[in-house]
Amino acid sequence: MQKEEKQKVEQVLAQYNLDKLTLAYDEMPKVTAQYTLLSTGSSKPFFTQREDEMKQEQTERKAFLDVIQQCINRLSEVERELIVRRYLEEDRFDYQVYMEMMISERQYYRLKTKALAKLHYLMGVAGYIV
């Protein structure tokens, strides 16, 4: 995996985290014990033109979040856990993640590279990485 590909995936994951902040608490994706991301219900409808535009933006954001969740959920359980712990939960360093997962540093970086490569492919197919 090349450095540019890794950076693109990390940018999309950072955008995912930013977009996640704009959702209401009850719409936030939930992380299960198997580190699977699950969507929740939708919000109330809007009526004015500006509110319709905001709803459209929110719908697009929600669609983006759903696609990224689906991409992450297609990873193996260990890869998914690594990505969720490293990029989607609170800010953590690599060494914290591999210590929590109780795997070696070398194995961690191999898994991370493999997971980011898979995400790059899946996000590219989804149209979020060119």
Side-chain angles (χ1 to χ4, degrees), residues 109-123:
Y109 284 109
R110 284 182 183 164
L111 282 169
K112 181 179 172 184
T113 301
K114 188 176 174 184
L116 290 175
K118 285 182 182 179
L119 283 176
H120 184 269
Y121 174 75
L122 291 169
M123 290 175 185

Side-chain angles (χ1 to χ4, degrees), residues 69-91:
Q69 288 172 17
Q70 290 172 5
C71 291
I72 292 170
N73 287 339
R74 296 189 120 220
L75 299 175
S76 71
E77 188 173 339
V78 175
E79 293 168 340
R80 189 169 51 235
E81 179 181 356
L82 185 148
I83 294 297
V84 169
R85 283 182 187 252
R86 173 64 175 91
Y87 295 102
L88 305 182
E89 290 184 344
E90 59 203 51
D91 246 356

